[in-house]
Amino acid sequence: MVILFLFWLVQCIHFYINVYLAEGLNQQRTHVLQELAHRTLEQSVGSWGVMLSTSVQQGLFWALAGALVVLLALYWWLKKGIPERDNRRDSHSEESEEENPARMNTTWIISKRFQLSVPKLASKRQVAQELMSDLLQVAHNLFSDSFFPVLEPAIGVGSACEGWSPHKEEDVVYRMFVPLKPPRGHAFHLEPDSMGEVPQTRMRIRVELVCTCTWKQPDRNMLCFLHHSEEELKRNQAASLLHTLCTGPYLDGEKIALWFQTFVISAWSMVPQSHHYSMKVLPSCRSCKMKLMKASGRSLFVETVFGVQQGDSDIFLSSQPTEAQMTPSTTWLESYAVAEAKFFRHVDMQAPPFSCHLKCLRLCARLLKGSSISIYALKTTVMHLLTLIPLSEWQHKYFLMRLDDIMCYLQCCLEEKRLKHFFFNNEDMPKEISLPPAFHEAQPLNLFQHLAQDPVAQTEALREFDDLQSHLYFGL
């Protein structure tokens, strides 16, 4: 009877442990380390159940008693080790270590191991923006009577300006996107650079001269490029854009970059930053890269990229190609950098204090660095999740849950060989972002199309991803 009673008691305890563990798993499904511990412990409980059954059959009373003690200890250890999740989802306060020390300790371990301390991006971003504002003001004064492209106010783009750069502080590059407008008497026309490509991601910018004779408010100091003689134009007016920064009738990205680099060198002494920094223009074919150095030895990298807007949208054509696409100097690639920066500003305004989305991006980007899985694929994954998961669920206390969501989403996309581009035919797009009409109807670009076409590449990507997950989950 005693043995039967003990056996019944063990089964009851086993049952309640499983119920409790199931509840804990549902509540904290993405609490990575505790899930791993939970799986291990469930296996242990199952092993103990087999041992108990054997002991009963053999009538080993003391073995049963010992197993019961272990089960009881295991139950209380689990009860202590798996904290209850705070159900108040609308709370905007960051969870303290006293409220959930296990979660906070795990977050601290991850941050420490992957050097997750965020660089001082905001203060340096402000320095970069002020520098560009001052330089563009000087450019406006110098080129107001010329026919170079009109330089619009700079827009901070890229990971550093979005607040999540995966690089070390000394390697961070602050990228400034400068839109170009046609000067007086000129017009820009966008032409496809490749036949049959949908959507058109490669274009050329044809520069045309426009008659200024019939302007409602004619510039009396300006001659019409179409209706005045070449001799009169050469004698009394600066050269047209077609004769300075174009190759044939098309705007040349390399010529624009060289023109701006030359301007920066000559205008450096005119900006206030020259009193605090020395400056060096670094070699670049399609952009202007500046290295600013303080007397203390600290440096700041600022890169200026040029773009032409598509209509009134947040989509531009960029002078700078990607590393994998070296294109002719008159070919401009479609860029979503401005729209992405606008999206992250929108999220920052809507998200609760201490939101963890930038920290998740930074951690995962550091993890993927050097792998065949691109940082842009990761960024796209996070942007999708930021529209699928309510922003209230991105509070800092849900850091591990969101981290697991990102990894699971990315793994599913790798397995399915499909990751939809964020800006094409996306019903969840915030209204604040303006897209060309064709984007709403176009078939989404598949960022993993290369995996669909190359099974070997997909296998390698999945293997790399498994290694990265192991490095994150088991390397703590």
Side-chain angles (χ1 to χ4, degrees):
M1 291 296 294
V2 174
I3 294 176
L4 290 176
F5 172 76
L6 287 174
F7 180 76
W8 172 82
L9 182 60
V10 166
Q11 295 300 320
C12 289
I13 294 173
H14 193 185
F15 171 79
Y16 284 112
I17 288 175
N18 286 333
V19 170
Y20 185 83
L21 288 174
E23 181 181 359
L25 183 59
N26 287 331
Q27 292 178 341
Q28 294 182 308
R29 62 186 181 82
T30 55
H31 197 309
V32 179
L33 297 181
Q34 290 182 353
E35 278 194 356
L36 293 173
H38 170 60
R39 295 191 190 105
T40 303
L41 291 170
E42 276 193 325
Q43 293 172 0
S44 300
V45 170
S47 301
W48 280 109
V50 174
M51 291 177 62
L52 281 171
S53 177
T54 305
S55 298
V56 171
Q57 292 174 1
Q58 295 177 354
L60 298 178
F61 172 82
W62 291 110
L64 248 177
L68 177 60
V69 171
V70 172
L71 276 172
L72 287 171
L74 185 60
Y75 170 75
W76 288 111
W77 185 77
L78 280 170
K79 186 174 182 180
K80 181 180 179 182
I82 302 181
E84 292 186 354
R85 178 178 172 182
D86 183 5
N87 291 321
R88 293 177 297 172
R89 296 269 186 166
D90 57 345
S91 172
H92 287 186
S93 61
E94 184 174 356
E95 190 175 40
S96 67
E97 290 188 8
E98 288 76 11
E99 290 174 338
N100 200 331
R103 182 185 292 118
M104 294 304 298
N105 288 340
T106 302
T107 303
W108 181 86
I109 291 172
I110 291 177
S111 299
K112 188 73 174 177
R113 180 175 180 82
F114 294 98
Q115 300 177 9
L116 206 55
S117 58
V118 178
K120 299 176 181 177
L121 298 178
S123 60
K124 290 191 173 184
R125 179 173 66 241
Q126 184 175 356
V127 172
Q129 290 173 333
E130 290 175 353
L131 168 64
M132 288 307 305
S133 178
D134 293 336
L135 281 172
L136 294 177
Q137 182 60 50
V138 174
H140 176 76
N141 296 334
L142 289 178
F143 303 128
S144 59
D145 292 331
S146 70
F147 296 96
F148 291 116
V150 178
L151 304 175
E152 295 285 290
I155 305 169
V157 300
S159 61
C161 292
E162 292 163 358
W164 61 274
S165 176
H167 304 292
K168 296 180 181 179
E169 187 171 352
E170 61 271 18
D171 298 327
V172 172
V173 177
Y174 295 85
R175 186 164 289 112
M176 297 290 147
F177 200 92
V178 176
L180 305 177
K181 294 288 186 181
R184 299 166 298 163
H186 297 73
F188 290 163
H189 295 280
L190 309 185
E191 293 184 352
D193 190 45
S194 55
M195 299 299 294
E197 185 181 62
V198 180
Q200 292 289 345
T201 59
R202 296 157 53 100
M203 289 188 170
R204 293 185 295 180
I205 302 168
R206 182 164 48 86
V207 178
E208 288 187 352
L209 298 176
V210 177
C211 176
T212 57
C213 298
T214 58
W215 282 9
K216 292 182 180 180
Q217 295 180 342
D219 186 344
R220 295 183 180 180
N221 296 323
M222 178 182 173
L223 302 177
C224 179
F225 284 109
L226 293 178
H227 298 109
H228 285 82
S229 66
E230 290 188 14
E231 292 183 2
E232 191 175 6
L233 288 170
K234 289 180 180 180
R235 184 171 60 251
N236 299 306
Q237 190 161 277
S240 73
L241 180 58
L242 281 170
H243 293 94
T244 54
L245 302 180
C246 290
T247 296
Y250 298 106
L251 202 60
D252 191 306
E254 292 184 6
K255 290 182 178 180
I256 290 175
L258 180 59
W259 162 66
F260 193 79
Q261 291 170 14
T262 304
F263 155 72
V264 167
I265 294 172
S266 62
W268 179 248
S269 61
M270 304 180 192
V271 297
Q273 290 78 8
S274 62
H275 301 299
H276 308 287
Y277 296 90
S278 60
M279 187 275 300
K280 180 180 180 181
V281 173
L282 303 177
S284 177
C285 291
R286 304 285 187 94
S287 65
C288 179
K289 295 181 180 179
M290 293 174 280
K291 180 180 181 180
L292 278 60
M293 295 160 286
K294 278 192 170 183
S296 62
R298 292 189 176 183
S299 57
L300 174 67
F301 294 91
V302 180
E303 182 178 20
T304 305
V305 179
F306 308 96
V308 174
Q309 189 176 18
Q310 292 195 44
D312 296 325
S313 73
D314 294 316
I315 306 301
F316 286 73
L317 297 177
S318 173
S319 63
Q320 187 179 47
T322 62
E323 294 181 1
Q325 293 180 288
M326 296 308 296
T327 59
S329 59
T330 55
T331 296
W332 297 61
L333 299 184
E334 197 164 63
S335 170
Y336 317 98
V338 173
E340 290 163 6
K342 194 170 182 178
F343 173 79
F344 279 100
R345 286 198 300 271
H346 165 78
V347 170
D348 288 339
M349 293 177 63
Q350 302 294 325
F354 308 109
S355 177
C356 66
H357 64 285
L358 296 178
K359 193 171 186 177
C360 288
L361 252 175
R362 177 169 165 78
L363 168 59
C364 293
R366 289 186 67 85
L367 198 64
L368 293 176
K369 195 173 181 181
S371 72
S372 62
I373 304 170
S374 71
I375 301 298
Y376 192 75
L378 166 67
K379 183 177 179 178
T380 302
T381 294
V382 173
M383 289 194 294
H384 278 302
L385 289 175
L386 283 168
T387 60
L388 295 174
I389 301 174
L391 293 179
S392 60
E393 298 296 309
W394 291 85
Q395 295 179 65
H396 186 268
K397 60 185 176 181
Y398 303 133
F399 168 68
L400 293 177
M401 300 176 68
R402 299 291 81 82
L403 180 61
D404 195 41
D405 287 337
I406 293 169
M407 299 300 282
C408 289
Y409 190 100
L410 191 53
Q411 182 176 19
C412 289
C413 290
L414 287 170
E415 292 172 350
E416 296 295 328
K417 298 170 288 188
R418 183 168 183 80
L419 175 59
K420 292 173 58 177
H421 196 288
F422 186 72
F423 292 104
F424 289 90
N425 197 12
N426 187 349
E427 296 179 356
D428 299 316
M429 185 66 57
K431 296 179 180 179
E432 291 80 359
I433 297 176
S434 176
L435 299 175
F439 276 50
H440 299 289
E441 301 175 359
Q443 288 296 321
L445 291 175
N446 180 12
L447 299 184
F448 285 163
Q449 183 63 35
H450 63 290
L451 300 182
Q453 298 172 345
D454 187 352
V456 175
Q458 185 207 17
T459 302
E460 179 62 22
L462 285 170
R463 185 195 64 76
E464 279 187 329
F465 189 79
D466 288 341
D467 292 343
L468 295 173
Q469 282 188 312
S470 299
H471 182 54
L472 174 62
Y473 294 160
F474 297 102
L476 303 177

